[in-house]
Amino acid sequence: MASSGRGKPAKVRWWRLRPNPLRRRSYLVEAWLLIAAWTLAVVAAVGTGAWTALAVDRHVDALRAERHPVSAVLVEDAVRTVGTSDGGDSYRAVVRWTAPDGTSRTGLAHVDSRSRAGSTTHVWLDARGRLVPTPMTADQARLEGVVLAVWTAVSAGGVVLLMGRGVSGWLERRRLEQWDVEWARVGPRWGHRTG
């Protein structure tokens, strides 16, 4: 056995692929399986991450395309509703706007905290003229795309690696069972000689 020079055995790289009379075929299969699993994990991670980022970008672009801002007048003063996840407060008020068909409509919208009855604000409408949330900014969309892309990339790569590890574990259990069978056959021939 090779030595590392410090009294410890040297770690032999790629030992499953090296010729050895004691190497079983399952070691070679396992080596190629691990190489394939790592390669597939990288490809799956990059592919799903890129696809997710593009899908988020398309979704946000579609939302922006179907929504449009209109001016609205507050019917009442802004009222604090609940605290938001970022530690700020959320304010809402009933607003009135003119629909594309010329009718007057009202609805509950998010507004600035200093808004008072009679002041104007901008609200967002969908293609049917219904109030919808403000679409994400380009920075918010980019951040959401990156977060989701990283999450799906790690998940896809992790699933592939777990599957490879599962097959590797199955091969290891199978090898141990084969060793037990062979030992049961050969062991009694050696007898119980002691030193």
Side-chain angles (χ1 to χ4, degrees):
M1 181 175 273
S3 175
S4 65
R6 297 182 196 157
K8 295 181 188 176
K11 185 173 184 174
V12 179
R13 298 191 187 278
W14 304 97
W15 64 269
R16 289 179 176 94
L17 295 174
R18 297 175 71 134
N20 184 329
L22 297 177
R23 182 186 73 191
R24 294 172 178 262
R25 187 174 18 170
S26 64
Y27 287 123
L28 193 58
V29 169
E30 184 178 11
W32 285 109
L33 170 80
L34 291 174
I35 291 169
W38 276 99
T39 303
L40 186 59
V42 169
V43 170
V46 170
T48 57
W51 181 84
T52 301
L54 287 173
V56 168
D57 194 38
R58 284 187 194 133
H59 177 69
V60 170
D61 286 346
L63 286 178
R64 280 194 200 128
E66 77 173 26
R67 295 178 181 186
H68 59 281
V70 296
S71 291
V73 177
L74 275 74
V75 175
E76 63 184 12
D77 291 346
V79 176
R80 181 174 164 236
T81 54
V82 292
T84 58
S85 60
D86 62 1
D89 291 324
S90 175
Y91 289 85
R92 290 185 176 207
V94 175
V95 296
R96 182 177 42 250
W97 70 95
T98 303
D101 63 3
T103 60
S104 180
R105 297 192 183 171
T106 59
L108 191 63
H110 287 280
V111 295
D112 186 71
S113 62
R114 298 170 301 228
S115 300
R116 299 289 172 241
S119 62
T120 58
T121 187
H122 282 88
V123 294
W124 289 81
L125 305 177
D126 64 8
R128 294 181 178 177
R130 295 177 299 191
L131 279 175
V132 290
T134 304
M136 286 187 270
T137 64
D139 289 339
Q140 290 170 330
R142 193 174 305 113
L143 177 63
E144 183 172 322
V146 166
V147 168
L148 290 175
V150 167
W151 186 84
T152 57
V154 169
S155 297
V159 166
V160 172
L161 290 177
L162 283 175
M163 288 171 49
R165 182 65 186 124
V167 174
S168 178
W170 176 78
L171 286 170
E172 181 67 22
R173 285 190 301 277
R174 187 167 172 238
R175 270 195 302 270
L176 290 174
E177 289 169 3
Q178 289 172 347
W179 276 106
D180 285 344
V181 168
E182 290 175 21
W183 184 252
R185 189 176 63 235
V186 174
R189 292 187 206 163
W190 288 5
H192 294 289
R193 292 186 226 167
T194 58

